[in-house]
Amino acid sequence: MTATLLGHGLTARFGSREVFTGVDVSVDAGSVLGIVGQSGSGKTTLLRILAGLTAPAAGTVEQRGVELRPGTIGLIAQHPRLVTNPRWTLRRIVAEPATIARRNCDIEAVAGRVGLDPALLDRFPSQVSDGQLQRACVGRLLVQAPRFVLCDEPTAMLDPLSARAVIGLLQALVDDGAGMVLVSHQRRLVDARCRDVVDLDVR
């Protein structure tokens, strides 16, 4: 059975304001689903619901064909500095999933895969660029090996060269069999990368 992340009839509200209603989402392993919409349309909220970080006002989320375990879903945030511990070195950030699982991992090899200079691994987030820190976050995903990757504007804070590199690294995860949800305001990027698109502006 193909691993699939499904959302049925998802609805989100903030107080009395309904952000979106009745949204259906389906992403298979090895495919990319895009989510687009204007600011305030609920893109990040929908991603958080799929990740299990926010409860929907209505609807359900399920995973089919996947053994339920911690780390099934991985996240890449728009602002890498907001989701990394500033007191941790990049080495510790990349190694976090292996540390939690109590298994060994060749962090230098992972750094090489994501184009991160191993000499940077013992630096702290404040000592590297946004692009380098985002590469470390992608490296952490490689160590985690999630079945689904949820990306919230992953290139918004990056220069064009770093943005292309990060998108290429994320695509490599898909090529290795992960399913991906890509949130972006860049319709051209979504159209180029995604098989299916959920447009929150038309609801």
Side-chain angles (χ1 to χ4, degrees):
M1 178 186 295
T2 300
T4 304
L5 179 64
L6 296 167
H8 303 281
L10 299 174
T11 297
R13 297 189 185 95
F14 293 137
S16 61
R17 183 173 76 89
E18 195 166 78
V19 182
F20 54 77
T21 181
V23 174
D24 294 324
V25 173
S26 177
V27 56
D28 294 330
S31 69
V32 185
L33 172 72
I35 299 176
V36 297
Q38 297 180 358
S39 179
S41 63
K43 299 187 300 296
T44 296
T45 299
L46 178 55
L47 204 70
R48 288 180 60 84
I49 289 173
L50 293 174
L53 299 175
T54 297
T60 60
V61 176
E62 64 175 305
Q63 299 173 42
R64 292 182 180 171
V66 180
E67 178 185 354
L68 295 179
R69 59 173 176 79
T72 299
I73 294 179
L75 296 171
I76 287 288
Q78 178 177 352
H79 303 285
R81 298 188 189 280
L82 297 181
V83 294
T84 51
N85 190 326
R87 296 182 178 86
W88 286 10
T89 63
L90 267 60
R91 181 184 303 277
R92 187 173 178 184
I93 289 169
V94 173
E96 182 182 14
T99 301
I100 292 172
R102 297 183 179 181
R103 56 182 170 82
N104 294 325
C105 180
D106 187 340
I107 301 303
E108 281 77 10
V110 173
R113 285 189 64 188
V114 300
L116 182 66
D117 186 345
L120 299 177
L121 286 172
D122 294 314
R123 295 187 183 182
F124 296 92
S126 62
Q127 298 173 315
V128 299
S129 69
D130 287 336
Q132 290 164 337
L133 186 56
Q134 194 70 301
R135 286 173 187 260
C137 290
V138 176
R140 180 170 57 186
L141 273 184
L142 293 181
V143 174
Q144 178 184 346
R147 297 302 300 271
F148 302 100
V149 180
L150 309 184
C151 305
D152 188 5
E153 301 278 7
T155 63
M157 302 294 293
L158 307 181
D159 61 80
L161 182 61
S162 294
R164 287 195 295 272
V166 167
I167 287 296
L169 293 169
L170 293 172
Q171 182 60 50
L173 290 172
V174 176
D175 294 341
D176 286 341
M180 182 179 296
V181 180
L182 175 63
V183 167
S184 179
H185 66 279
Q186 300 180 46
R187 188 62 191 246
R188 181 179 299 178
L189 171 64
V190 170
D191 287 342
R193 296 285 177 176
C194 302
R195 185 181 68 185
D196 299 303
V197 177
V198 174
D199 189 342
L200 294 178
D201 288 337
V202 301
R203 295 181 178 273

